[in-house]
Amino acid sequence: MPNAASPEVVAIVGVGLIGRAWAAIFARAGWQVRLWDPHAPTLAAAPGLIREELGKLARHGLADDPDGAAARIAVGASLADALAGVSFVQENGPEVVEQKRAIFAELDRLAPPDAILCSSTSAIVASRFTEGLPGRARCIVAHPVNPPHLVPIVELCGAPWTAPETVERARAAFSAIGQVPITVRKEVDGFILNRLQGALLAEAFRLVGEGYVSAEDLDHTVKDGLGLRWSFMGPFETIELNAPGGIPDYCARYTGFYKGLAHDAAGPEVYESPNIDRVAAAWPHAATPERVAERTRWRNERLAALAAHKRAAPDPA
C-alpha cells in the first residue's frame, strides 16, 4: 500500500460519494488533501465520513495509518483557498456539460499553472468542456469506478489538445497512489469500461426481457461464472487460456458463433418499454432505501476483502 511521505497536494472539488473516496485514496498515500464543495452541509460532513471510510479500509489492511491519513485532510474556506499551491485537482461535479464548463473555467483560472486538472466524469469527453480554456493542455478525464477506493481502475482520456506530458504525469500520479490507470488513446463516448459494461448490459436486458432466463439467474451467470475469471483476468487473457494455441486458435475455433451474435446484437429497444418493464418486473427485490444501503455496505465489504486478497497475491505476469 503506497504510504510514503509526499509533498504533493491535491484539491478534491466536489465531495459527494466519489469525491470523498478520492480524498481517502490520496490521503492514505501520503498526499495533503484539500476539500471544497459549493454545498456547505456536504462539505462540513465530508471529513468525518472520510475518516470513517479510512477506518474501514484499515480493518481490511488497505490503509496503514487511517488517523494520519485523516489528519492530512483539510477543508478549503473557498475554492481559491482549496486550490492554492496544489499540483493536482480532481473534480467530481454533476454530469452536466454546462456545469463542467463553468467549474473548469474556474479551476483553470485559480489553480497553479502547472497543476493537472482532472475530471471524474463517466460520460462526457474532455473536448466538450475544455476547448476554450487557456490551460486546456493540462485538462484530462480521470474516470474512476464506484467505489474508487475499492475498485482501482482509472480511465485517463485527454482531449485532442491535452498535452502528452499531462497524460504521463497523471498516469504516474495515479499509479503512485495505488490506482490502476489505463490510457484511452482517443476520445470515445463512454470511454472503455462503460462501453464494455454496456455491451453486456444490453444483452442481459434482452435475455431477461425476452424470457430466456430469470433476472436472478442472469446475475448468477456473471457473479458465479464470468465474473470469477474477470476478477483477475481480462477477456483477452481469458480466451488465450481457453484454446491450446492462444488467441489466434480461439478465434479460428469459435468466432463463427460470435459473428452470428454480432449480426444480431441487442438494440436500443431493450432499454425501452415494454422490455424494460418486463426486466423490472422480473427483479424480485424492491429497491427500498434500506435494502440499497444494506447491499451497498455488503458490496463494499466484499470488494475490500477482494482487494486485500489481490494485494496479497499479485499477478506475477
Side-chain angles (χ1 to χ4, degrees):
M1 169 61 56
N3 199 33
S6 170
E8 300 282 9
V9 184
V10 60
I12 306 297
V13 178
V15 291
L17 186 65
I18 298 299
R20 295 195 303 269
W22 276 126
I25 291 166
F26 279 98
R28 74 178 174 182
W31 287 48
Q32 298 294 320
V33 177
R34 310 253 187 82
L35 309 178
W36 187 82
D37 195 290
H39 187 247
T42 298
L43 183 58
L49 292 171
I50 297 165
R51 180 183 291 273
E52 181 180 327
E53 200 59 49
L54 285 165
K56 293 177 183 177
L57 291 171
R59 289 196 292 274
H60 287 275
L62 300 175
D64 296 333
D65 179 13
D67 292 335
R72 287 188 284 273
I73 297 171
V75 172
S78 64
L79 178 59
D81 180 56
L83 294 172
V86 303
S87 57
F88 216 81
V89 179
Q90 189 74 34
E91 172 271 333
N92 314 282
E95 289 286 292
V96 180
V97 172
E98 293 75 16
Q99 293 189 42
K100 295 288 185 195
R101 288 193 189 117
I103 188 60
F104 263 75
E106 286 293 282
L107 298 179
D108 193 40
R109 181 175 67 87
L110 295 171
D114 59 346
I116 293 178
L117 307 182
C118 298
S119 176
S120 294
T121 177
S122 60
I124 307 172
V125 293
S127 61
R128 297 185 64 194
F129 57 88
T130 67
E131 182 174 10
L133 301 179
R136 66 184 190 171
R138 59 172 172 158
C139 299
I140 189 170
V141 166
H143 170 228
V145 177
N146 184 34
H149 59 303
L150 299 173
V151 181
I153 196 75
V154 185
E155 298 183 291
L156 302 179
C157 184
W161 44 78
T162 300
E165 179 191 11
T166 298
V167 181
E168 293 166 8
R169 286 178 58 202
R171 185 158 185 147
F174 284 113
S175 294
I177 64 173
Q179 300 302 97
V180 180
I182 69 158
T183 300
V184 183
R185 295 180 175 180
K186 55 185 179 180
E187 288 190 327
V188 59
D189 288 341
F191 312 116
I192 306 304
L193 185 140
N194 279 331
R195 294 182 76 90
L196 292 173
Q197 179 171 245
L200 177 62
L201 195 57
E203 189 63 25
F205 266 77
R206 174 164 67 174
L207 291 170
V208 172
E210 294 182 5
Y212 292 101
V213 66
S214 73
E216 288 187 300
D217 280 354
L218 187 288
D219 271 15
H220 277 298
T221 305
V222 176
K223 68 182 181 180
D224 297 313
L226 292 170
L228 293 178
R229 293 186 302 204
W230 288 350
S231 68
F232 57 91
M233 292 191 304
F236 289 123
E237 188 170 17
T238 295
I239 67 170
E240 179 189 43
L241 302 184
N242 280 350
I247 293 174
D249 187 19
Y250 185 95
C251 291
R253 290 169 181 259
Y254 303 119
T255 53
F257 166 71
Y258 288 121
K259 288 176 184 177
L261 288 183
H263 278 299
D264 187 35
E269 67 278 0
V270 299
Y271 298 118
E272 301 167 355
S273 293
N275 193 69
I276 195 169
D277 304 316
R278 292 193 293 264
V279 171
W283 186 246
H285 307 289
T288 64
E290 294 77 16
R291 172 180 161 78
V292 171
E294 175 56 34
R295 294 299 287 177
T296 298
R297 284 191 291 269
W298 173 84
R299 177 201 66 187
N300 288 359
E301 285 292 314
R302 294 301 85 219
L303 284 173
L306 179 59
H309 168 71
K310 292 184 74 170
R311 193 175 299 282
D315 184 354

